[in-house]
Amino acid sequence: MKVIVRYMLWLESKAGTREEVIELNKGSTLRGLLEIVSERHPGLAKYISELLQGASQIIVLHNSKTPGKGLDTVLTDMDTVVLMPPVSGG
């Protein structure tokens, strides 16, 4: 199955791309996807590692929503996952 991953703001420069399609096995989880992203993009490895340990400010959206089961959310074909840093301002 294929999952679309989008990188927002400065994560785009760390990944070297704004968007990519990643092939996954059926039944793969958000955690598994993030492990692949970390391997593919060394510039993101530190941030993904923190995210997997629950110590990151990176926001993860699954099909435009907060993942219902967190990192254990099961992905399906053509899902979209967005990674973005926290945004503040006023």
Side-chain angles (χ1 to χ4, degrees), residues 36-76:
I36 291 169
V37 167
S38 180
E39 291 172 11
R40 283 190 179 191
H41 304 291
L44 290 175
K46 171 188 168 193
Y47 307 103
I48 299 294
S49 176
E50 291 171 353
L51 182 60
L52 293 173
Q53 295 173 26
S56 173
Q57 297 296 314
I58 300 298
I59 298 165
V60 179
L61 298 177
H62 173 240
N63 295 331
S64 301
K65 299 177 183 174
T66 302
K69 295 186 178 179
L71 297 178
D72 295 323
T73 298
V74 176
L75 303 171
T76 58

Side-chain angles (χ1 to χ4, degrees), residues 7-17 44 58 83-85:
Y7 306 96
M8 308 306 271
L9 303 171
W10 56 265
L11 293 175
E12 177 182 344
S13 64
K14 296 286 185 186
T17 187
L44 290 175
I58 300 298
L83 301 177
M84 59 188 274

